Every structure is written in C-alpha cells, then in structure tokens.
Amino acid sequence: MSSIFELSPRCQELQRLLTDFVENDCIPAEEVYESQVGQGNQRWKVIPPIMEELKAKARSLGLWNLFLHKGYPEGPGLTNFEYAILCEITGRCPRIAPEALNCSAPDTGNMEVFAKYGTAAQKEQYLVPLMKGQIRSAFAMTEIAVSSSDATNIETRIERVGDHYIINGHKWWISGAGDPRCRVYLVMGKSDPGNQSKYHQQSIVIVPADTPGVKVVRPMTVFGYDDAPEGHCEVKFTNVKVPVSNIIAGEGRGFEVIQGRLGPGRIHHCMRCIGMAERTLDEMVARVTNPSRRTFGQILARHGTVAADVAKIRIDINAARLMVLAAADKIDKVGAKGALRDIAMAKVMVPNVLQRTIDLAIQAFGAAGLSQDYPMARFFAAARSIRIADGPDEVHIQQLARFELIRGDEIREKQDAAKARRKQILANNSKL
C-alpha cells in the first residue's frame, strides 16, 4: 500500500497501535463481551463491563474519535483517507472495536451532524457527551409504512405550534434505540409537506429519548441477531413536543443534512466491510491449510476449487479496498457531494465482495461456518444488511447509471468528430 499511498508518520503509528489493540484486546474479548450481554428482561439494560475497560484503554492510546475529520476542530485532525485506513482495522472486530474507539454508527454520523450544523447550545448538550462516550444516540428516518429508500416518502410530521414542534410518526430499524445509554434521537420528518420542492419539505429535529410520547415498541432482528444492547428498533413518536430551538440547521434542510451525514458514513461501512472480509479470508486460509483437516487424502487447499476461491477473494478484496480509498480521497478533495459517484460505486461493490467472501469461506468450513464458533454467520448478517442500509444497491446503481448515461450526447459528438476527421484523412490521400 505504501508504494501507492504515502501515509503520514502519525497515521502509521495509529495504524500500528490500532492493529495491536484490535488483535490483542478486542478480538480476544469477543467471547467475554457476548457472555456479559444481558439475558431475559435484562437484555436491553446491561452494558458489558468489558466494553468500558476497552474504551478506557483505547482512549489512553489516543485511539478515540478518529472518525471526525480534520475539517472539524473537535476531531483529532485526520483526513477521511487516513481514517479509512484505520477504520478497516476496526472491521476485523465490528461488534466491539468501533464502539471501543467511540467510532460506531449511528453515533459517528450524529456527531458529525452536531459538529457541522449544531448551535453552540446543541453542541454543549449533545456533542460533548457523545464525544466523551458518555451517552449514545439514534437517527430516526426509516418508516414502517412507506418505502424509505426514497426519503421523499417519509410521512412523519413535524408541525410547529407556537414555540414548539409536535412530532408524530412511526419509525423502525432505528439503530441504537434499544441502548439504555441512548439519550437523543435525530428525527427526520416533514415540516412543510406543501412545499413545491420535494427536497425542501423535510426537517430534522432533536428529540431527547425521555421525551413523553417516545415509545420503543420492539427490537428487530437481523437473521435472528438482535444486536443487543444497541439493537435496531421500532419506535413510535406520538404528540412528541420539543422546543423550536431543537431544529437542526433550519426548517426544510433535512435532505441537505442527511446527504452530508450519509456520505462519510457509507465509506465507514465499506471500510469495516473490508476488515471483515480480511478476517474471513484469514479464517478460511487457516482452515484450508490445516494439516489435520483432509478430504480424499489431501488438505483442502490442495483441491483446485478451494485454492481458486482463495485467489479470487484476494483479488476482490484488494480491488474493493482501492475503490473505497479512492472515494475517501475524493471526499477530502472535493467534499461528499462531489464524490457521490465514487461513494456509490464503493457502497455497491464492497458489501457484495464481503458477502461473496463469506459465502465461499462458509462453504470451505462446511457446517462449522454457519455456527457461533466462527464469525462468518454474524458477518454475513452484517454484509447482507449493509446492502440495504444507507441506501439499497438499486438506488446507488440507478444513480451511477445516470452519471454514465448523461454522457451520451458528449460521446456522440466525439464519435462524429472522429468520423469527420477520418473522412478528412482519406480525402487527403491517407495523410494527416
């Protein structure tokens, strides 16, 4: 990588520290973490104590809030590209490492919203404790009654009544809403449904989690995983009343806010996917080269199809990594809006690469690959859900198609110019 991308000495040191922390603290702590998650009626009340130990160590190592890029004075001063390098490492232990560094979704996106759009009072009340890891948060956009991949469909109402907003809506798949530390929601809804521009009908408001009328209905499961204690929940907002000072950026700017929030967040997801893919490949290589595991008289790696799968996975992972790093670099240079095409390509490619990697690894493991003894089953659930989260594949593919097809007139003009030049050369006795 260094032959293509030169990393600063600081980034290299963070890379070394983080690799050691993930490999020697986070991954070995996975079993303890799962054993400490609450059971029964304590499922959504208990925070594994090992997490607080890991957070304390990460902070002491300077591995804290790495995600908030150098454009924000509150952050550690890294570029999106540098954080992409580091974020991949956390993907090797996605259940623990991101939170241990205070770099887990949805908090990262919410912190960036507060940092970019928040007032001084909003930052003091929510950004500061979020960045200290004292509270958690949730982002409430997806709705149960409409196809939310088209965010203009959102039906939640945010109505101004005097000096307050009244919020009514029914959301689901709200990540983090089950966490007992969740203190605040950022809620997207329509404040001006009659606006002629469908992209200026929405606003985002701050809703403290303990506001009357906020009800967590139930946790949802992803292929049976509930991801406690954070979870992904169905949430109802019934006549929820908040002061007008809780608006983010201003009325009608909801789309602007979510686009700024989702761009870097999609890259974070993709880099963690690369980390998961790398760990999956490691597990697969260890399995198929194990001399004690033989079929038809030879180790699994000696079978041509297995060896070919390993090679194809390596090609896919390396290509996916370059795709994501290019997108992160583009964000640094021209901003998330200018990097939309690169972000969309990465968001489509990388989770699919991860899904294929896991599928091939599971096949090499046999039934063991489906079990709780190895990380692939949970990784597969994550990979499949990421192909829907933050915009499904189809939305990004449609966007990419528009970027390409819009070039039609330009391409035809070039082709016509080439034809005219060819005729000119032929008319000149085949001379330039």
Side-chain angles (χ1 to χ4, degrees), residues 40 79 112 194 212 264 390 412:
T79 64
E112 187 159 3
D390 288 357
R412 281 189 295 275

Side-chain angles (χ1 to χ4, degrees), residues 141-162:
M141 186 181 84
T142 303
E143 296 186 359
I144 195 168
V146 298
S147 298
S148 302
S149 58
D150 178 356
T152 62
N153 288 332
I154 297 301
E155 294 181 339
T156 292
R157 289 288 283 115
I158 300 172
E159 299 180 84
R160 181 163 182 167
V161 179

Side-chain angles (χ1 to χ4, degrees), residues 156-168 189-193 201 203 205 239-252:
T156 292
R157 289 288 283 115
I158 300 172
E159 299 180 84
R160 181 163 182 167
V161 179
D163 293 331
H164 290 82
Y165 291 112
I166 306 299
I167 304 154
N168 284 280
K190 287 187 176 177
S191 55
D192 185 11
Q201 298 175 355
S203 297
V205 292
N239 294 324
V240 173
K241 184 178 181 181
V242 298
V244 294
S245 59
N246 280 26
I247 194 78
I248 291 288
E251 291 186 11

